[in-house]
PDB file of all heavy atoms in Angstrom:
ATOM      1  N   ASP A   1      -4.375   2.975  16.341  1.00  0.00           N
ATOM      2  CA  ASP A   1      -4.960   4.101  15.732  1.00  0.00           C
ATOM      3  C   ASP A   1      -4.653   5.422  16.360  1.00  0.00           C
ATOM      4  O   ASP A   1      -5.027   6.422  15.933  1.00  0.00           O
ATOM      5  CB  ASP A   1      -6.454   3.905  15.580  1.00  0.00           C
ATOM      6  CG  ASP A   1      -7.219   3.587  16.800  1.00  0.00           C
ATOM      7  OD1 ASP A   1      -6.565   3.578  17.901  1.00  0.00           O
ATOM      8  OD2 ASP A   1      -8.391   3.520  16.899  1.00  0.00           O
ATOM      9  N   GLN A   2      -4.033   5.389  17.593  1.00  0.00           N
ATOM     10  CA  GLN A   2      -3.578   6.646  18.136  1.00  0.00           C
ATOM     11  C   GLN A   2      -2.222   7.051  17.708  1.00  0.00           C
ATOM     12  O   GLN A   2      -1.803   8.269  17.869  1.00  0.00           O
ATOM     13  CB  GLN A   2      -3.393   6.379  19.742  1.00  0.00           C
ATOM     14  CG  GLN A   2      -4.751   5.954  20.407  1.00  0.00           C
ATOM     15  CD  GLN A   2      -5.846   6.995  20.176  1.00  0.00           C
ATOM     16  OE1 GLN A   2      -5.701   8.191  20.413  1.00  0.00           O
ATOM     17  NE2 GLN A   2      -7.055   6.525  19.691  1.00  0.00           N
ATOM     18  N   GLY A   3      -1.549   6.171  16.883  1.00  0.00           N
ATOM     19  CA  GLY A   3      -0.194   6.596  16.358  1.00  0.00           C
ATOM     20  C   GLY A   3      -0.342   7.287  15.065  1.00  0.00           C
ATOM     21  O   GLY A   3      -1.338   7.745  14.617  1.00  0.00           O
ATOM     22  N   SER A   4       0.786   7.388  14.391  1.00  0.00           N
ATOM     23  CA  SER A   4       0.795   8.019  13.081  1.00  0.00           C
ATOM     24  C   SER A   4      -0.031   7.292  12.024  1.00  0.00           C
ATOM     25  O   SER A   4       0.057   6.084  12.001  1.00  0.00           O
ATOM     26  CB  SER A   4       2.240   8.243  12.585  1.00  0.00           C
ATOM     27  OG  SER A   4       2.880   6.971  12.366  1.00  0.00           O
ATOM     28  N   ALA A   5      -0.580   7.965  11.200  1.00  0.00           N
ATOM     29  CA  ALA A   5      -1.451   7.483  10.158  1.00  0.00           C
ATOM     30  C   ALA A   5      -0.559   6.945   9.035  1.00  0.00           C
ATOM     31  O   ALA A   5       0.513   7.564   8.658  1.00  0.00           O
ATOM     32  CB  ALA A   5      -2.392   8.466   9.640  1.00  0.00           C
ATOM     33  N   VAL A   6      -0.975   5.981   8.252  1.00  0.00           N
ATOM     34  CA  VAL A   6      -0.375   5.559   7.063  1.00  0.00           C
ATOM     35  C   VAL A   6      -0.766   6.464   6.006  1.00  0.00           C
ATOM     36  O   VAL A   6      -1.942   6.814   5.697  1.00  0.00           O
ATOM     37  CB  VAL A   6      -0.895   4.004   6.594  1.00  0.00           C
ATOM     38  CG1 VAL A   6      -0.331   3.712   5.295  1.00  0.00           C
ATOM     39  CG2 VAL A   6      -0.537   3.084   7.740  1.00  0.00           C
ATOM     40  N   GLY A   7       0.208   7.066   5.348  1.00  0.00           N
ATOM     41  CA  GLY A   7       0.066   8.131   4.333  1.00  0.00           C
ATOM     42  C   GLY A   7       0.099   7.753   2.971  1.00  0.00           C
ATOM     43  O   GLY A   7       0.349   6.613   2.582  1.00  0.00           O
ATOM     44  N   VAL A   8      -0.054   8.705   2.055  1.00  0.00           N
ATOM     45  CA  VAL A   8       0.020   8.577   0.665  1.00  0.00           C
ATOM     46  C   VAL A   8       1.251   7.940   0.152  1.00  0.00           C
ATOM     47  O   VAL A   8       1.318   7.179  -0.830  1.00  0.00           O
ATOM     48  CB  VAL A   8      -0.291   9.929  -0.047  1.00  0.00           C
ATOM     49  CG1 VAL A   8      -0.096   9.831  -1.573  1.00  0.00           C
ATOM     50  CG2 VAL A   8      -1.741  10.329   0.178  1.00  0.00           C
ATOM     51  N   GLY A   9       2.476   8.317   0.848  1.00  0.00           N
ATOM     52  CA  GLY A   9       3.629   7.796   0.358  1.00  0.00           C
ATOM     53  C   GLY A   9       3.728   6.256   0.404  1.00  0.00           C
ATOM     54  O   GLY A   9       4.230   5.698  -0.613  1.00  0.00           O
ATOM     55  N   VAL A  10       3.181   5.650   1.425  1.00  0.00           N
ATOM     56  CA  VAL A  10       3.117   4.181   1.369  1.00  0.00           C
ATOM     57  C   VAL A  10       2.260   3.734   0.260  1.00  0.00           C
ATOM     58  O   VAL A  10       2.629   2.752  -0.427  1.00  0.00           O
ATOM     59  CB  VAL A  10       2.564   3.667   2.762  1.00  0.00           C
ATOM     60  CG1 VAL A  10       2.245   2.145   2.660  1.00  0.00           C
ATOM     61  CG2 VAL A  10       3.524   4.031   3.901  1.00  0.00           C
ATOM     62  N   LEU A  11       1.183   4.312  -0.008  1.00  0.00           N
ATOM     63  CA  LEU A  11       0.234   3.876  -1.199  1.00  0.00           C
ATOM     64  C   LEU A  11       1.009   4.091  -2.454  1.00  0.00           C
ATOM     65  O   LEU A  11       0.804   3.199  -3.308  1.00  0.00           O
ATOM     66  CB  LEU A  11      -1.034   4.668  -1.137  1.00  0.00           C
ATOM     67  CG  LEU A  11      -1.867   4.578   0.274  1.00  0.00           C
ATOM     68  CD1 LEU A  11      -3.200   5.205   0.012  1.00  0.00           C
ATOM     69  CD2 LEU A  11      -2.061   3.167   0.665  1.00  0.00           C
ATOM     70  N   GLN A  12       1.689   5.129  -2.592  1.00  0.00           N
ATOM     71  CA  GLN A  12       2.523   5.314  -3.808  1.00  0.00           C
ATOM     72  C   GLN A  12       3.541   4.239  -4.119  1.00  0.00           C
ATOM     73  O   GLN A  12       3.701   3.722  -5.210  1.00  0.00           O
ATOM     74  CB  GLN A  12       3.159   6.678  -3.859  1.00  0.00           C
ATOM     75  CG  GLN A  12       2.244   7.850  -3.975  1.00  0.00           C
ATOM     76  CD  GLN A  12       2.930   9.261  -3.769  1.00  0.00           C
ATOM     77  OE1 GLN A  12       3.843   9.270  -2.999  1.00  0.00           O
ATOM     78  NE2 GLN A  12       2.330  10.243  -4.387  1.00  0.00           N
ATOM     79  N   GLN A  13       4.127   3.757  -3.069  1.00  0.00           N
ATOM     80  CA  GLN A  13       5.123   2.639  -3.099  1.00  0.00           C
ATOM     81  C   GLN A  13       4.372   1.410  -3.573  1.00  0.00           C
ATOM     82  O   GLN A  13       4.876   0.668  -4.491  1.00  0.00           O
ATOM     83  CB  GLN A  13       5.795   2.432  -1.867  1.00  0.00           C
ATOM     84  CG  GLN A  13       6.812   3.511  -1.474  1.00  0.00           C
ATOM     85  CD  GLN A  13       7.391   3.321   0.007  1.00  0.00           C
ATOM     86  OE1 GLN A  13       6.923   2.441   0.628  1.00  0.00           O
ATOM     87  NE2 GLN A  13       8.320   4.106   0.327  1.00  0.00           N
ATOM     88  N   VAL A  14       3.272   1.145  -3.036  1.00  0.00           N
ATOM     89  CA  VAL A  14       2.439  -0.018  -3.326  1.00  0.00           C
ATOM     90  C   VAL A  14       1.998  -0.018  -4.712  1.00  0.00           C
ATOM     91  O   VAL A  14       1.908  -0.904  -5.526  1.00  0.00           O
ATOM     92  CB  VAL A  14       1.388  -0.318  -2.347  1.00  0.00           C
ATOM     93  CG1 VAL A  14       0.303  -1.355  -2.805  1.00  0.00           C
ATOM     94  CG2 VAL A  14       1.833  -0.669  -1.005  1.00  0.00           C
ATOM     95  N   ASN A  15       1.514   1.232  -5.127  1.00  0.00           N
ATOM     96  CA  ASN A  15       1.008   1.441  -6.506  1.00  0.00           C
ATOM     97  C   ASN A  15       1.991   1.176  -7.467  1.00  0.00           C
ATOM     98  O   ASN A  15       1.789   0.745  -8.581  1.00  0.00           O
ATOM     99  CB  ASN A  15       0.371   2.797  -6.559  1.00  0.00           C
ATOM    100  CG  ASN A  15      -0.409   3.001  -7.878  1.00  0.00           C
ATOM    101  OD1 ASN A  15      -1.250   2.255  -8.156  1.00  0.00           O
ATOM    102  ND2 ASN A  15      -0.049   4.097  -8.640  1.00  0.00           N
ATOM    103  N   GLY A  16       3.300   1.535  -7.191  1.00  0.00           N
ATOM    104  CA  GLY A  16       4.400   1.459  -8.150  1.00  0.00           C
ATOM    105  C   GLY A  16       4.992   0.000  -8.257  1.00  0.00           C
ATOM    106  O   GLY A  16       5.745  -0.195  -9.174  1.00  0.00           O
ATOM    107  N   THR A  17       4.605  -0.794  -7.231  1.00  0.00           N
ATOM    108  CA  THR A  17       5.263  -2.137  -7.316  1.00  0.00           C
ATOM    109  C   THR A  17       4.258  -3.345  -7.463  1.00  0.00           C
ATOM    110  O   THR A  17       4.507  -4.413  -8.023  1.00  0.00           O
ATOM    111  CB  THR A  17       6.078  -2.364  -6.054  1.00  0.00           C
ATOM    112  OG1 THR A  17       5.323  -2.340  -4.923  1.00  0.00           O
ATOM    113  CG2 THR A  17       7.274  -1.408  -6.042  1.00  0.00           C
ATOM    114  N   ALA A  18       3.055  -3.191  -6.778  1.00  0.00           N
ATOM    115  CA  ALA A  18       2.167  -4.318  -6.750  1.00  0.00           C
ATOM    116  C   ALA A  18       1.683  -4.858  -8.068  1.00  0.00           C
ATOM    117  O   ALA A  18       1.858  -6.180  -8.237  1.00  0.00           O
ATOM    118  CB  ALA A  18       0.810  -3.851  -5.912  1.00  0.00           C
ATOM    119  N   ARG A  19       1.297  -4.071  -8.946  1.00  0.00           N
ATOM    120  CA  ARG A  19       1.009  -4.577 -10.302  1.00  0.00           C
ATOM    121  C   ARG A  19       2.125  -4.664 -11.261  1.00  0.00           C
ATOM    122  O   ARG A  19       2.263  -5.716 -11.966  1.00  0.00           O
ATOM    123  CB  ARG A  19      -0.058  -3.603 -10.835  1.00  0.00           C
ATOM    124  CG  ARG A  19      -1.414  -3.670 -10.107  1.00  0.00           C
ATOM    125  CD  ARG A  19      -2.437  -2.676 -10.609  1.00  0.00           C
ATOM    126  NE  ARG A  19      -3.613  -2.535  -9.604  1.00  0.00           N
ATOM    127  CZ  ARG A  19      -3.661  -1.696  -8.699  1.00  0.00           C
ATOM    128  NH1 ARG A  19      -2.751  -0.876  -8.481  1.00  0.00           N
ATOM    129  NH2 ARG A  19      -4.713  -1.684  -7.853  1.00  0.00           N
ATOM    130  N   GLN A  20       2.927  -3.651 -11.308  1.00  0.00           N
ATOM    131  CA  GLN A  20       4.110  -3.622 -12.304  1.00  0.00           C
ATOM    132  C   GLN A  20       5.094  -4.763 -11.982  1.00  0.00           C
ATOM    133  O   GLN A  20       5.640  -5.341 -12.871  1.00  0.00           O
ATOM    134  CB  GLN A  20       4.680  -2.266 -12.371  1.00  0.00           C
ATOM    135  CG  GLN A  20       3.798  -1.197 -12.817  1.00  0.00           C
ATOM    136  CD  GLN A  20       2.871  -0.586 -11.717  1.00  0.00           C
ATOM    137  OE1 GLN A  20       2.719  -1.151 -10.676  1.00  0.00           O
ATOM    138  NE2 GLN A  20       2.415   0.588 -11.968  1.00  0.00           N
ATOM    139  N   ILE A  21       5.587  -4.793 -10.764  1.00  0.00           N
ATOM    140  CA  ILE A  21       6.669  -5.692 -10.327  1.00  0.00           C
ATOM    141  C   ILE A  21       6.153  -7.103 -10.047  1.00  0.00           C
ATOM    142  O   ILE A  21       6.756  -8.044 -10.393  1.00  0.00           O
ATOM    143  CB  ILE A  21       7.537  -5.081  -9.143  1.00  0.00           C
ATOM    144  CG1 ILE A  21       7.967  -3.769  -9.516  1.00  0.00           C
ATOM    145  CG2 ILE A  21       8.570  -6.040  -8.771  1.00  0.00           C
ATOM    146  CD1 ILE A  21       8.958  -3.637 -10.636  1.00  0.00           C
ATOM    147  N   HIS A  22       5.046  -7.111  -9.222  1.00  0.00           N
ATOM    148  CA  HIS A  22       4.585  -8.415  -8.710  1.00  0.00           C
ATOM    149  C   HIS A  22       3.427  -8.999  -9.555  1.00  0.00           C
ATOM    150  O   HIS A  22       3.075 -10.173  -9.248  1.00  0.00           O
ATOM    151  CB  HIS A  22       4.072  -8.288  -7.213  1.00  0.00           C
ATOM    152  CG  HIS A  22       5.265  -7.780  -6.334  1.00  0.00           C
ATOM    153  ND1 HIS A  22       6.368  -8.541  -6.000  1.00  0.00           N
ATOM    154  CD2 HIS A  22       5.442  -6.648  -5.644  1.00  0.00           C
ATOM    155  CE1 HIS A  22       7.194  -7.904  -5.196  1.00  0.00           C
ATOM    156  NE2 HIS A  22       6.692  -6.696  -5.055  1.00  0.00           N
ATOM    157  N   GLY A  23       2.918  -8.296 -10.466  1.00  0.00           N
ATOM    158  CA  GLY A  23       1.893  -8.767 -11.270  1.00  0.00           C
ATOM    159  C   GLY A  23       0.547  -9.005 -10.604  1.00  0.00           C
ATOM    160  O   GLY A  23      -0.211  -9.849 -10.928  1.00  0.00           O
ATOM    161  N   ALA A  24       0.349  -8.173  -9.636  1.00  0.00           N
ATOM    162  CA  ALA A  24      -0.791  -8.334  -8.765  1.00  0.00           C
ATOM    163  C   ALA A  24      -2.122  -7.810  -9.536  1.00  0.00           C
ATOM    164  O   ALA A  24      -1.984  -6.806 -10.252  1.00  0.00           O
ATOM    165  CB  ALA A  24      -0.773  -7.686  -7.518  1.00  0.00           C
ATOM    166  N   ASP A  25      -3.231  -8.416  -9.376  1.00  0.00           N
ATOM    167  CA  ASP A  25      -4.511  -7.931  -9.885  1.00  0.00           C
ATOM    168  C   ASP A  25      -5.122  -6.972  -8.845  1.00  0.00           C
ATOM    169  O   ASP A  25      -5.988  -6.165  -9.213  1.00  0.00           O
ATOM    170  CB  ASP A  25      -5.441  -9.083 -10.261  1.00  0.00           C
ATOM    171  CG  ASP A  25      -4.913 -10.037 -11.294  1.00  0.00           C
ATOM    172  OD1 ASP A  25      -4.545  -9.518 -12.393  1.00  0.00           O
ATOM    173  OD2 ASP A  25      -4.638 -11.226 -11.038  1.00  0.00           O
ATOM    174  N   VAL A  26      -4.890  -7.277  -7.597  1.00  0.00           N
ATOM    175  CA  VAL A  26      -5.560  -6.545  -6.568  1.00  0.00           C
ATOM    176  C   VAL A  26      -4.458  -6.203  -5.521  1.00  0.00           C
ATOM    177  O   VAL A  26      -3.598  -6.960  -5.216  1.00  0.00           O
ATOM    178  CB  VAL A  26      -6.554  -7.430  -5.750  1.00  0.00           C
ATOM    179  CG1 VAL A  26      -7.148  -6.731  -4.551  1.00  0.00           C
ATOM    180  CG2 VAL A  26      -7.636  -7.926  -6.714  1.00  0.00           C
ATOM    181  N   ALA A  27      -4.385  -4.863  -5.181  1.00  0.00           N
ATOM    182  CA  ALA A  27      -3.453  -4.312  -4.250  1.00  0.00           C
ATOM    183  C   ALA A  27      -4.138  -3.928  -2.925  1.00  0.00           C
ATOM    184  O   ALA A  27      -5.325  -3.277  -2.950  1.00  0.00           O
ATOM    185  CB  ALA A  27      -2.699  -3.132  -4.774  1.00  0.00           C
ATOM    186  N   VAL A  28      -3.699  -4.379  -1.810  1.00  0.00           N
ATOM    187  CA  VAL A  28      -4.221  -4.126  -0.513  1.00  0.00           C
ATOM    188  C   VAL A  28      -3.164  -3.599   0.466  1.00  0.00           C
ATOM    189  O   VAL A  28      -2.037  -4.166   0.560  1.00  0.00           O
ATOM    190  CB  VAL A  28      -4.871  -5.348   0.096  1.00  0.00           C
ATOM    191  CG1 VAL A  28      -5.472  -5.150   1.539  1.00  0.00           C
ATOM    192  CG2 VAL A  28      -5.879  -6.056  -0.779  1.00  0.00           C
ATOM    193  N   VAL A  29      -3.463  -2.507   1.233  1.00  0.00           N
ATOM    194  CA  VAL A  29      -2.603  -2.103   2.351  1.00  0.00           C
ATOM    195  C   VAL A  29      -3.430  -2.233   3.557  1.00  0.00           C
ATOM    196  O   VAL A  29      -4.538  -1.827   3.656  1.00  0.00           O
ATOM    197  CB  VAL A  29      -2.221  -0.591   2.172  1.00  0.00           C
ATOM    198  CG1 VAL A  29      -1.354  -0.141   3.289  1.00  0.00           C
ATOM    199  CG2 VAL A  29      -1.426  -0.434   0.789  1.00  0.00           C
ATOM    200  N   LEU A  30      -2.862  -2.988   4.535  1.00  0.00           N
ATOM    201  CA  LEU A  30      -3.472  -3.221   5.728  1.00  0.00           C
ATOM    202  C   LEU A  30      -2.700  -2.755   7.046  1.00  0.00           C
ATOM    203  O   LEU A  30      -1.447  -2.564   6.881  1.00  0.00           O
ATOM    204  CB  LEU A  30      -3.422  -4.898   5.836  1.00  0.00           C
ATOM    205  CG  LEU A  30      -4.135  -5.534   7.040  1.00  0.00           C
ATOM    206  CD1 LEU A  30      -4.680  -6.819   6.552  1.00  0.00           C
ATOM    207  CD2 LEU A  30      -3.138  -5.735   8.132  1.00  0.00           C
ATOM    208  N   THR A  31      -3.299  -2.137   7.961  1.00  0.00           N
ATOM    209  CA  THR A  31      -2.688  -1.553   9.016  1.00  0.00           C
ATOM    210  C   THR A  31      -3.437  -1.832  10.399  1.00  0.00           C
ATOM    211  O   THR A  31      -4.718  -1.982  10.304  1.00  0.00           O
ATOM    212  CB  THR A  31      -2.444  -0.074   8.910  1.00  0.00           C
ATOM    213  OG1 THR A  31      -1.754   0.485  10.066  1.00  0.00           O
ATOM    214  CG2 THR A  31      -3.759   0.647   8.785  1.00  0.00           C
ATOM    215  N   ASN A  32      -2.785  -1.883  11.465  1.00  0.00           N
ATOM    216  CA  ASN A  32      -3.536  -1.955  12.702  1.00  0.00           C
ATOM    217  C   ASN A  32      -3.772  -0.539  13.313  1.00  0.00           C
ATOM    218  O   ASN A  32      -4.239  -0.445  14.348  1.00  0.00           O
ATOM    219  CB  ASN A  32      -2.500  -2.691  13.770  1.00  0.00           C
ATOM    220  CG  ASN A  32      -1.310  -1.898  14.125  1.00  0.00           C
ATOM    221  OD1 ASN A  32      -0.743  -1.235  13.273  1.00  0.00           O
ATOM    222  ND2 ASN A  32      -0.920  -2.033  15.369  1.00  0.00           N
ATOM    223  N   GLY A  33      -3.540   0.365  12.400  1.00  0.00           N
ATOM    224  CA  GLY A  33      -3.813   1.774  12.780  1.00  0.00           C
ATOM    225  C   GLY A  33      -4.852   2.414  11.886  1.00  0.00           C
ATOM    226  O   GLY A  33      -5.900   1.822  11.646  1.00  0.00           O
TER     227      GLY A  33
END
């Protein structure tokens, strides 16, 4: 958590692939930061 934060860009990538490409019902982004 002292390092760089996970930003919107990562979430946009997940948003564009989790449901549309992978057919997910639930999308989760997990970080040790």
Side-chain angles (χ1 to χ4, degrees):
D1 58 356
Q2 300 302 311
S4 63
V6 175
V8 172
V10 169
L11 303 186
Q12 289 172 332
Q13 291 173 351
V14 169
N15 192 49
T17 60
R19 294 177 188 90
Q20 296 86 340
I21 304 297
H22 300 292
D25 300 303
V26 177
V28 179
V29 177
L30 183 146
T31 182
N32 68 325

